[in-house]
Amino acid sequence: MHREENEFETLVPAASKVKRSFYKVPCSNDYKLEKFEACKPKTCGRVVMDDLIDEDDALHLLSVAKKGLALGGSSGGASILDLHSGALSKDNAFINIYNVIKSEDIDLLSLQDFSIYRKVKNQIHYAIARQFNIPQDKLYLTKPTFFSRMNMKEPSTIHDEYWHAHVDKETYGSFHYTSLLYLSTYEQDFTGGRFIFIDKNSNKTVEPRLGRVSFFTSGSENLHRVERLKDGVRYAITVSFTCDPSQAIQDPSYK
């Protein structure tokens, strides 16, 4: 049985800056029938790093999220911006941000925006490969990789209900390793919104902090959810990786 949802054990608080914190968990059976021997998880767990990403780069990416999402935004409380596909939440559907930029002749995204995005992605890619002892050339960026914004709007569609427990490998299929870069800070920019790993004996939380990277193996050993927001606005980037080269995506580029 899982602990009651109001019982939390804080894995890493927002007030503490950690160089690297690793919490090992037993791997599930999700990977056993897969190939990709050089890449698939042999050790599973959760990692939090606060000194991987420069604060200036995190702040720059926050500005990218804000200016991109200003062109759209969900009718409910959860909006996304995907620089790879161009998908941008708009009311109860999605539009393509690149089509909007072109049709309205807006000078919105710069070469620097994409350069910093790639730099940060590469830093996370390296950290995951090093932590789990994977050759970097066997680990691929995959979709969806996106900015997210959560606010206090009431949900309009099921996509706004971000607080449900799920397993990334089941939800997205291609995922082997999931990472998040937080672009806002718990109890400064918002309350609620903690990241919760749901274990049999405890619910372990990671409190978001600007520039904090959290990554973990994507199987059912890491069932999780995001706590429903209580106040404020929460920004983050989800950066996803796969062992399957057929599911790889390219870096976004200036269009």
Side-chain angles (χ1 to χ4, degrees), residues 44-55:
C44 294
R46 307 149 187 177
V47 179
V48 175
M49 301 178 72
D50 286 331
D51 65 350
L52 181 64
I53 306 302
D54 290 340
E55 184 174 321

Side-chain angles (χ1 to χ4, degrees), residues 141-176:
L141 188 69
T142 194
K143 63 182 180 182
T145 284
F146 56 93
F147 292 91
S148 62
R149 181 186 70 195
M150 298 171 185
N151 59 26
M152 293 302 297
K153 288 184 180 179
E154 287 298 312
S156 180
T157 72
I158 189 66
H159 300 294
D160 296 314
E161 297 181 12
Y162 53 81
W163 51 83
H164 298 299
H166 64 280
V167 172
D168 285 347
K169 193 162 176 42
E170 295 174 1
T171 302
Y172 300 111
S174 64
F175 283 30
H176 286 88

Side-chain angles (χ1 to χ4, degrees), residues 28-43:
S28 63
N29 293 323
D30 298 356
Y31 316 100
K32 282 194 173 178
L33 297 179
E34 292 188 328
K35 42 189 180 180
F36 320 122
E37 290 299 328
C39 171
K40 69 181 186 180
K42 298 168 186 64
T43 300

Side-chain angles (χ1 to χ4, degrees), residues 60 62-71 97 108-110 113:
H60 189 101
L62 175 61
S63 74
V64 173
K66 286 181 174 180
K67 67 184 179 181
L69 286 160
L71 292 183
I97 191 171
L108 187 78
L109 298 171
S110 69
D113 295 338

Side-chain angles (χ1 to χ4, degrees), residues 204-221:
K204 297 181 176 63
T205 68
V206 174
E207 296 179 355
R209 173 189 173 105
L210 174 69
R212 169 169 287 172
V213 174
S214 173
F215 59 84
F216 52 92
T217 48
S218 303
S220 53
E221 68 277 356

Side-chain angles (χ1 to χ4, degrees), residues 4 19 24 54 98-99 135 153 171:
E4 291 297 316
K19 182 176 178 65
K24 186 176 180 180
D54 290 340
Y98 299 117
N99 291 343
K153 288 184 180 179
T171 302

Side-chain angles (χ1 to χ4, degrees), residues 36 39 138-143 173-177 240-249:
F36 320 122
C39 171
K138 300 294 185 184
L139 183 66
Y140 309 92
L141 188 69
T142 194
K143 63 182 180 182
S174 64
F175 283 30
H176 286 88
Y177 303 89
S240 346
F241 293 93
T242 185
C243 299
D244 185 351
S246 72
Q247 296 298 317
I249 62 172

